[in-house]
Amino acid sequence: VARARVHMAGNDERTYIMVKPDGVQRGLVGQIIGRFEQRGYQLKGLKLMQPTEALLRQHYNELVTKAFFPRLLEYMLSGPVCAMVWEGKGVVATGRMMLGATNPQASAPGTIRGDYCIDVGKNICHGSDSVENAEREIGLWFSADELLSWTPHSRPWLYE
Ligand code: UDP
């Protein structure tokens, strides 16, 4: 039992993934969810919502002084987003790899941005860049009762 616990440690890392308004408008929500499901990550929370300016200013608190921030705000306010929490071993770093580079032109084919978009200001998705930021962002976008605890049947087939 103790050994099993050691092996489980770290498998509960969480990240905040968001399909941005262009991804929702372009009907890419299912494709993006599918990639995280296929990889073996576990869905812990999911909702379609219209973000407010106040929430976006908190979410992007490190970017509010940037020259591109007003356009980013306008973009993120332009329609609903799909907010998600995904859990699993290394999901923060792996999630970023799955998304691709911030600028889609630098994103390799096979990544989400590398397969579905072109411009940095319309890059269809967000993923937390550190475990610490992931927890901060999850706290901003979800209340505790919106995150579910459940046991996926495939877990023993995903983790050694
Ligand atoms: N962004 C932009 N122009 C830039 C840099 C960023 O429009 O020169 C937008 C882009 O949508 C990006 C978001 O601002 O995804 C947040 O930027 P960040 O540097 O945090 O990149 P990310 O973590 O999203 O890859």
Side-chain angles (χ1 to χ4, degrees), residues 10-147:
N11 292 0
D12 60 352
E13 185 174 298
R14 304 189 297 176
T15 194
Y16 176 65
I17 299 292
M18 169 166 57
V19 184
K20 293 176 174 181
D22 48 342
V24 174
Q25 286 287 350
R26 294 178 53 208
L28 298 173
V29 170
Q31 303 283 332
I32 294 169
I33 290 174
R35 288 182 180 224
F36 281 85
E37 282 187 326
Q38 234 180 330
R39 189 69 189 255
Y41 288 121
Q42 184 188 0
L43 185 61
K44 303 301 294 250
L46 170 74
K47 62 180 171 180
L48 194 69
M49 62 181 286
Q50 175 60 56
T52 63
E53 179 171 338
L55 178 56
L56 290 166
R57 284 183 179 278
Q58 284 182 283
H59 175 78
Y60 285 127
N61 65 345
E62 284 173 359
L63 301 178
V64 290
T65 57
K66 301 280 187 193
F68 63 79
F69 187 74
R71 287 190 64 193
L72 174 59
L73 198 55
E74 188 185 358
Y75 164 44
M76 293 301 298
L77 286 168
S78 66
V81 300
C82 182
M84 295 179 261
V85 175
W86 288 92
E87 183 176 289
K89 188 181 198 171
V91 70
V92 171
T94 305
R96 291 280 291 191
M97 277 196 284
M98 291 164 66
L99 261 51
T102 301
N103 185 344
Q105 304 249 320
S107 300
T111 64
I112 293 167
R113 287 166 177 158
D115 286 347
Y116 297 119
C117 56
I118 298 167
D119 262 346
V120 69
K122 291 281 188 292
N123 63 358
I124 72 167
C125 53
H126 166 84
S128 309
D129 64 2
S130 67
V131 172
E132 190 186 20
N133 264 336
E135 289 302 317
R136 184 183 71 86
E137 292 169 4
I138 291 166
L140 286 175
W141 291 87
F142 286 91
S143 59
D145 67 345
E146 289 174 324
L147 300 173

